[in-house]
Amino acid sequence: ETEPHESYYSIIRAAPQLYRLLPEDVLASATILSNLGFNASLLISTNPTIITYLPDDITYGFQFLSTMMGNPSPAFLAQLCDANPALLLQGIEGGLQERSVERALGA
């Protein structure tokens, strides 16, 4: 069995930027994952960088991913992302790029 401090250090090694984030921001990101129907514990333990994104970026990324995948049910999409956290990260990054382009174009 893994010691609690080992889990902590493995998360910090995977996402060192957590040191500079406010605890309430990290908690808000974890909470939004749960609210969207994800298994937040699974996602965070599999890919801790997910909680380094702002809740708004996570929500927008989920919507972006849903649109790109033909609008499957939110529950189905959450299950896919739980099984493959990189999929959610791609959605978040895609959403960030989309909003960046919109800002650049003044849309």
Side-chain angles (χ1 to χ4, degrees):
E1 184 173 312
T2 304
E3 294 292 323
H5 67 279
E6 290 177 32
S7 296
Y8 169 80
Y9 289 116
S10 67
I11 288 173
I12 293 299
R13 277 192 300 276
Q17 60 271 49
L18 286 169
Y19 273 127
R20 65 179 169 76
L21 300 175
L22 296 173
E24 54 268 20
D25 291 341
V26 174
L27 180 59
S29 294
T31 300
I32 200 67
L33 288 169
S34 291
N35 292 347
L36 289 170
F38 296 106
N39 180 337
S41 299
L42 176 66
L43 282 176
I44 294 165
S45 65
T46 305
N47 197 330
T49 59
I50 289 174
I51 56 171
T52 65
Y53 291 94
L54 297 172
D56 184 53
D57 294 333
I58 294 170
T59 302
Y60 192 89
F62 184 67
Q63 293 167 347
F64 176 86
L65 184 60
S66 179
T67 301
M68 293 296 112
M69 294 184 71
N71 293 311
S73 76
F76 177 74
L77 188 54
Q79 286 178 335
L80 285 176
C81 292
D82 283 343
N84 184 1
L87 185 61
L88 178 58
L89 286 172
Q90 289 174 339
I92 294 169
E93 289 294 327
L96 287 168
Q97 288 176 348
E98 181 177 80
R99 291 195 291 183
S100 176
V101 169
E102 287 174 353
R103 282 190 300 274
L105 297 175

